[in-house]
Amino acid sequence: GIFDGDIAVLQQGSDFTDGDIAAVIVDEEATLKRVFRLEDGVRLHAENPSYPDRLISREQVEHSFRIAGVLVGTIRHFT
């Protein structure tokens, strides 16, 4: 899992495969979520079960959504 203080390593770009963890920007707010394409938009899924899935409409995808990059690794510092 990704823990507080970890550094996410991303492959920059908007291409993703369903189920990839990606840095997503919605309405100028960034988050890391699993991303799934839907016929009418995109579904964002958090690994933390405390957070529900978020559905992004096709209209919102066109105007205020972008993928900054896909997670390819993490860096964790141990102290």
Side-chain angles (χ1 to χ4, degrees):
I2 302 169
F3 298 97
D4 191 32
D6 285 356
I7 297 170
V9 180
L10 304 174
Q11 179 176 335
Q12 186 177 2
S14 60
D15 292 335
F16 71 92
T17 301
D18 279 353
D20 280 349
I21 297 175
V24 177
I25 301 170
V26 181
D27 295 327
E28 302 303 318
E29 182 179 322
T31 187
L32 283 174
K33 297 282 189 276
R34 286 200 185 272
V35 185
F36 298 89
R37 287 181 181 86
L38 304 173
E39 284 188 26
D40 57 346
V42 173
R43 178 172 61 96
L44 304 180
H45 174 76
E47 291 298 305
N48 183 335
S50 299
Y51 295 93
D53 286 358
R54 181 171 177 189
L55 301 177
I56 309 299
S57 70
R58 180 176 291 152
E59 180 180 337
Q60 193 173 11
V61 167
E62 293 172 359
H63 294 100
S64 59
F65 173 90
R66 71 182 176 96
I67 302 283
V70 172
L71 184 73
V72 294
T74 57
I75 299 172
R76 182 168 301 147
H77 294 277
F78 296 94
T79 56

